[in-house]
């Protein structure tokens, strides 16, 4: 159900839609619906969204938003990111309340994964 005045959708640029879809499907089990050759959408991932074909990418050092996943098993998630073509930008580090790492997916968009301290 959509909630009034709450975040509902996010879009990212992606220069290689097929590689980006394969990565998110393999690592996070996302499923996609294609809307033509230059747009693909995902849903049921905490926030719905999509990727559009463009030679750009989002990264926080350039002012882009950083979307952060949660993981119960951060090392296992990092291992899947690397196995499926992600690039680790910041290895696992501690911060108050947990730990996290940052990665780039195949089209260059930067994301992070965090976990609570065990």
């Amino acid at each position: 159900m959509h909630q009034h005045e709450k975040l509902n959708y996010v879009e990212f640029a992606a220069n290689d839609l097929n590689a980006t879809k394969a990565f998110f499907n393999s690592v996070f089990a996302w499923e996609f619906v294609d809307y033509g050759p230059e747009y693909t959408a995902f849903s049921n991932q905490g926030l719905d969204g999509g990727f559009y074909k463009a030679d750009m990418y989002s990264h926080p050092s350039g002012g882009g938003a950083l979307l952060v996943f949660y993981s119960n098993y951060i090392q296992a998630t990092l291992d899947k990111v690397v196995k499926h073509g992600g690039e680790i930008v910041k290895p696992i580090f501690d911060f108050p309340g947990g730990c996290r790492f940052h990665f780039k997916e195949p089209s260059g968009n930067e994301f992070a994964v965090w976990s609570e301290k065990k």
Side-chain angles (χ1 to χ4, degrees), residues 61-102:
S61 64
L66 178 67
L67 273 71
V68 183
F69 292 86
Y70 178 79
S71 173
N72 287 326
Y73 309 102
I74 196 165
Q75 185 63 54
T77 302
L78 183 145
D79 293 344
K80 284 196 309 183
V81 165
V82 170
K83 177 181 177 182
H84 295 287
E87 175 188 340
I88 303 304
V89 176
K90 293 181 183 177
I92 297 173
F93 63 93
D94 291 335
F95 68 93
C99 59
R100 75 184 201 189
F101 70 90
H102 292 212

Side-chain angles (χ1 to χ4, degrees), residues 20 44 91 106:
T20 291
N44 299 316

